[in-house]
Amino acid sequence: METESKIMLPEDIQELELKDCHGLGSCLTEDVFLLLNIQRGGSSLTRCVVKDCEGMKCILKSSSFKNERRPLVRNNSLCPALQNLELLELIKLPSLVELCEWESICGATLPCGTLSCLKSFCIHSCPSMTKLFTLRLLQHLQNLEVINISSCYQLEEIVVDDQEECTTSTSTPSSSNSSSILPKLRKLSLDDLPKLSNFYEGTIFCDSIERVVIRYCPNLKRLPFFFPTVAGQLSPPPTLKVIEILELEREWWESLEWVDAGMQVVLQPFVRFHNRIIIVTPRI
């Protein structure tokens, strides 16, 4: 009598690396976490690296969402599996077009706790991405400390207000007046993004920023960061240490548009122009 064979994998996996897994449409689904035995009672998965996987179009995918008018259920199995993830690296994924498939559905709500512990995010050489984070996803990334984006040649916008796209004709919020908060963001690196024209239409509050590195982003015209005033005067974050720009891009820096006209003057003492190539590690 034949018995059904089962794939048995270790429990409490802390690190997951997928490399050269061609033909996968997505990598983090309910089925994957069922195999990893981490779909119940929380998860020990803290680090995930996806590299050199041709055909992968998205990273997170929920098959449980069927009705476009109904929010995702809160007990979605991806939720506990991704609650403790701290590092996510996406490298050389030529077909990748979005991070979360369910975000493309109007009215969908990300499961509570999804990526809520993520501290470091790195994406490198993903040439099909045109937009990176949606505003709905960004609201879950309140513990994000490091963002490293490089060599994504079709990337046009980093944060897009998907909530505005789903509003009805009777509700017309303006994305230019919206804001988001990244309270723990310490390091931001934007490198070799030739089509990047907009970071975010609204404003972003990041009072913990320490280091900003921008190079080879010739079409980026505006930085969305907003800093509070102290005693009526515009004040940079007390944590800010340096803004690194290539010397050959000095003219680009001086032509940037700002939320407040005085912000460039306030930030100028932190700017360092370099002739050398700047290498920023995304790890924390």
Side-chain angles (χ1 to χ4, degrees):
M1 180 178 177
E2 295 184 359
T3 59
E4 181 182 358
S5 61
K6 294 183 179 180
I7 299 175
M8 299 300 295
L9 295 176
E11 295 183 3
D12 299 326
I13 291 178
Q14 297 181 6
E15 299 186 3
L16 174 65
E17 181 169 341
L18 299 178
K19 183 178 180 181
D20 296 321
C21 297
H22 307 307
L24 286 178
S26 58
C27 66
L28 301 183
T29 65
E30 288 97 329
D31 292 339
V32 169
F33 289 118
L34 286 170
L35 290 176
L36 294 177
N37 297 316
I38 57 177
Q39 81 283 5
R40 295 179 181 176
S43 167
S44 298
L45 185 67
T46 59
R47 179 178 180 269
C48 180
V49 178
V50 187
K51 183 177 182 180
D52 294 315
C53 297
E54 295 181 5
M56 186 170 294
K57 295 182 179 181
C58 69
I59 301 301
L60 311 179
K61 180 178 180 180
S62 173
S63 60
S64 65
F65 187 84
K66 302 299 182 182
N67 188 334
E68 293 189 2
R69 297 298 179 184
R70 185 186 65 195
L72 283 165
V73 292
R74 290 188 176 275
N75 61 349
N76 184 287
S77 62
L78 282 177
C79 174
L82 295 176
Q83 280 183 339
N84 294 323
L85 189 67
E86 296 181 2
L87 183 146
L88 178 61
E89 294 185 8
L90 311 175
I91 304 169
K92 295 182 180 180
L93 305 176
S95 301
L96 188 69
V97 293
E98 60 183 346
L99 297 180
C100 305
E101 184 182 79
W102 62 65
E103 286 196 294
S104 62
I105 305 173
C106 281
T109 302
L110 290 172
C112 182
T114 303
L115 299 178
S116 60
C117 288
L118 191 67
K119 295 181 179 180
S120 180
F121 175 80
C122 170
I123 181 169
H124 172 72
S125 294
C126 296
S128 297
M129 292 287 290
T130 59
K131 297 176 174 61
L132 190 56
F133 301 122
T134 65
L135 196 57
R136 280 183 290 176
L137 177 59
L138 201 68
Q139 292 169 350
H140 287 247
L141 305 180
Q142 297 301 291
N143 287 304
L144 195 59
E145 298 180 9
V146 177
I147 298 176
N148 188 297
I149 309 170
S150 60
S151 302
C152 296
Y153 301 124
Q154 299 299 320
L155 189 66
E156 299 174 357
E157 193 170 11
I158 292 176
V159 180
V160 58
D161 190 349
D162 57 330
Q163 293 176 332
E164 183 182 50
E165 297 175 358
C166 296
T167 57
T168 64
S169 58
T170 58
S171 177
T172 57
S174 172
S175 63
S176 61
N177 294 326
S178 60
S179 63
S180 185
I181 300 175
L182 290 172
K184 296 185 179 180
L185 184 65
R186 297 186 296 109
K187 299 179 181 179
L188 171 67
S189 176
L190 307 177
D191 180 16
D192 198 13
L193 308 172
K195 288 194 174 183
L196 182 66
S197 59
N198 187 31
F199 192 105
Y200 176 47
E201 285 291 347
T203 55
I204 292 181
F205 296 84
C206 47
D207 294 339
S208 297
I209 194 71
E210 297 176 5
R211 184 182 185 191
V212 178
V213 178
I214 305 177
R215 61 176 186 176
Y216 305 127
C217 300
N219 289 308
L220 183 61
K221 304 300 182 184
R222 174 181 174 271
L223 295 181
F225 306 118
F226 180 80
F227 304 137
T229 56
V230 176
Q233 299 294 321
L234 198 64
S235 177
T239 54
L240 184 60
K241 297 178 181 178
V242 64
I243 300 173
E244 300 188 18
I245 310 292
L246 289 176
E247 175 63 40
L248 57 85
E249 297 184 314
R250 181 187 290 264
E251 185 176 346
W252 166 84
W253 166 260
E254 294 174 349
S255 67
L256 281 176
E257 301 173 3
W258 299 90
V259 176
D260 188 299
M263 192 171 297
Q264 187 175 30
V265 176
V266 172
L267 294 179
Q268 195 61 40
F270 300 93
V271 177
R272 301 292 181 269
F273 293 102
H274 294 272
N275 290 314
R276 60 184 175 83
I277 294 177
I278 307 165
I279 299 177
V280 178
T281 174
R283 299 183 185 277
I284 59 175

